[in-house]
Amino acid sequence: MKLGIVGLPNVGKSTLFNALTKAGAESANYPFCTIDPNVGIVPVPDFRLGLLANMYQSKKVTPAVIEFVDIAGLVKGASKGEGLGNQFLSHIREVDAIVHVVRCFEDSNIVHVDGSIDPLRDIETINLELLFADMDVLDRRIAKTAKGANNDKSLAKELAILKRLKAHMEDGGLAKTFEAEDEDEQSFIDSLTLLTSKPVIYAANVTEDDLASDGNDNAQVAKVREFASGEGSEVFVICAQIEQEIAELEDDEKQEFLEDLGLSESGLEKLIQASYHLLGLISYLTSGEDETRAWTIKKGTKAPQAAGKIHTDFERGFIRAEVVNYQDLLDAGSYAAAREKGLIGLEGKEYVVKDGDVILFRFNV
């Protein structure tokens, strides 16, 4: 999974990225200090892995990972090359979802590029730049498709969709709010990889004082939540500065620090939960003496396709899957004991994998 972190300059975007990835991207109180997209690979916290690895005495534990891309601060006119515009917009095309950091705190020591705090205005600024960039893509595609549309029915159909989509965007609509007439039409729109079709998670950046209440006493956070619910996006509340402090602590100190703040989990854990929920992802597990590992798949994935995540041969030669829920396995104390108690199911090609399934795939190529 690849998430792109975007936001206007000085909203706490690079501070959050540093905290999430400990990658040490330069963070300073001026625009465009992030010249190249910084990339960080972050393990997905999963308590189940440690418990299974302990039971199997696994030599290796491999969590699922998320790739974060820190994309330089966008400004008005980015789609026309203002600031460091187009080169950064291209990086957003490659991500599965956008984490949009919005500033919901006042601080006279940190200048805002527009001179005041207004998260909805900031969201609109970024969305407009993404829209303008998408409309440039559509204009080029329309011009190209129109050349052959007179002699080709499928091109003529594509042209009609492109024109409808462009009209929707000219009215201020994002690609993801466009209502396709059928699945084929939606597949074609998805193939355009438009920026405004990306799912969005809003990171409402607040002060430490607002963190314990999850931003419930912050009027700016309330506005972001209302806006996000209208477009089906996720919101999580963070204090980027606190996240950076947490990132520098050892694991046992981390928990103590969170408890002192009245928090049950870090911003990273909140973000990962929001990402999995938004993108419809789950994890299944494999465990043994050599390795205990988490594999990320889409909710609704059937057993052969889940097996294909490990190796294409597993999918091609799929015979069956031996499946047990991780908690049932732990309660039984061993795989053999779980088998004796009838907790292990033998599943075929139509089995839909569930979150927390521990699976042994049988295959023959």
Side-chain angles (χ1 to χ4, degrees):
M1 177 163 58
K2 199 171 187 179
L3 301 179
I5 302 180
V6 304
L8 291 173
N10 299 339
V11 295
K13 184 175 57 64
S14 290
T15 305
L16 177 63
F17 174 80
N18 292 347
L20 294 177
T21 65
K22 300 183 190 174
E26 186 186 359
S27 176
N29 182 22
Y30 57 91
F32 314 126
C33 65
T34 316
I35 302 300
D36 296 309
N38 294 279
V39 177
I41 306 291
V42 179
V44 174
D46 192 334
F47 70 94
R48 301 172 298 193
L49 293 176
L51 297 171
L52 288 168
N54 192 45
M55 189 180 89
Y56 277 97
Q57 295 296 294
S58 305
K59 294 171 190 162
K60 186 179 173 189
V61 177
T62 307
V65 295
I66 292 181
E67 188 174 329
F68 287 106
V69 185
D70 181 26
I71 297 160
L74 297 172
V75 292
K76 283 177 186 166
S79 58
K80 305 297 179 193
E82 287 295 322
L84 292 159
N86 286 328
Q87 68 201 62
F88 299 116
L89 292 170
S90 67
H91 297 305
I92 306 175
R93 292 196 195 284
E94 299 164 12
V95 302
D96 298 307
I98 293 169
V99 179
H100 186 161
V101 183
V102 287
R103 182 169 159 182
C104 297
F105 67 90
E106 298 280 354
D107 187 336
S108 58
N109 295 317
I110 303 174
V111 295
H112 188 288
V113 72
D114 286 328
S116 63
I117 306 304
D118 184 345
L120 296 190
R121 179 200 58 209
D122 295 354
I123 290 170
E124 186 183 9
T125 297
I126 297 269
N127 280 350
L128 276 175
E129 294 312 316
L130 301 183
L131 261 179
F132 291 148
D134 279 352
M135 285 168 73
D136 283 345
V137 169
L138 286 183
D139 284 339
R140 290 196 296 274
R141 186 67 181 255
I142 286 169
K144 185 180 175 185
T145 307
K147 289 177 183 175
N150 288 335
N151 306 313
D152 186 323
K153 283 184 180 176
S154 65
L155 286 180
K157 187 179 177 184
E158 283 183 11
L159 183 61
I161 298 167
L162 290 166
K163 285 181 174 177
R164 276 174 45 228
L165 180 55
K166 190 184 174 194
H168 172 73
M169 287 184 163
E170 283 172 340
D171 287 338
L174 308 179
K176 63 185 169 192
T177 61
F178 179 75
E179 291 185 15
E181 291 180 354
D182 53 41
E183 281 185 21
D184 288 342
E185 191 167 295
Q186 189 59 56
S187 294
F188 170 66
I189 292 163
D190 291 343
S191 73
L192 300 171
T193 62
L194 296 169
L195 303 176
T196 61
S197 66
K198 304 276 183 194
V200 175
I201 302 163
Y202 292 103
N205 192 10
V206 300
T207 62
E208 183 183 333
D209 293 341
D210 282 330
L211 201 54
S213 69
D214 201 33
N216 289 328
D217 301 326
N218 184 312
Q220 305 290 11
V221 172
K223 289 178 189 174
V224 174
R225 283 182 169 139
E226 186 182 353
F227 179 86
S229 70
E231 63 172 34
S233 295
E234 295 275 329
V235 179
F236 76 107
V237 172
I238 49 124
C239 173
Q241 201 59 52
I242 290 291
E243 289 301 317
Q244 194 152 27
E245 289 176 36
I246 291 171
E248 290 160 9
L249 300 173
E250 298 298 325
D251 284 349
D252 53 342
E253 294 175 313
K254 230 175 245 187
Q255 202 50 48
E256 198 178 315
F257 186 65
L258 286 169
E259 284 169 13
D260 287 345
L261 290 168
L263 303 173
S264 57
E265 57 190 356
S266 70
L268 173 61
E269 288 164 316
K270 283 189 198 172
L271 173 54
I272 287 168
Q273 286 170 14
S275 306
Y276 269 61
H277 183 249
L278 186 70
L279 296 170
L281 301 174
I282 59 169
S283 292
Y284 75 87
L285 313 162
T286 54
S287 196
E289 196 178 310
D290 288 334
E291 182 184 41
T292 292
R293 182 164 183 166
W295 304 86
T296 302
I297 55 170
K298 282 268 190 192
K299 208 176 280 183
T301 299
K302 292 183 178 177
Q305 289 70 47
K309 286 285 287 184
I310 300 174
H311 197 286
T312 51
D313 284 352
F314 282 34
E315 182 175 356
R316 194 157 51 93
F318 178 88
I319 299 171
R320 68 175 183 271
E322 296 181 14
V323 183
V324 58
N325 174 267
Y326 83 95
Q327 191 62 58
D328 289 343
L329 178 56
L330 290 169
D331 290 345
S334 72
Y335 197 79
R339 191 190 295 281
E340 280 175 28
K341 291 180 178 180
L343 298 171
I344 294 169
L346 299 181
E347 306 292 354
K349 291 182 177 180
E350 293 304 307
Y351 177 72
V352 176
V353 175
K354 299 181 189 70
D355 187 58
D357 278 349
V358 181
I359 306 181
L360 176 65
F361 291 107
R362 300 293 184 187
F363 73 102
N364 183 29
V365 177

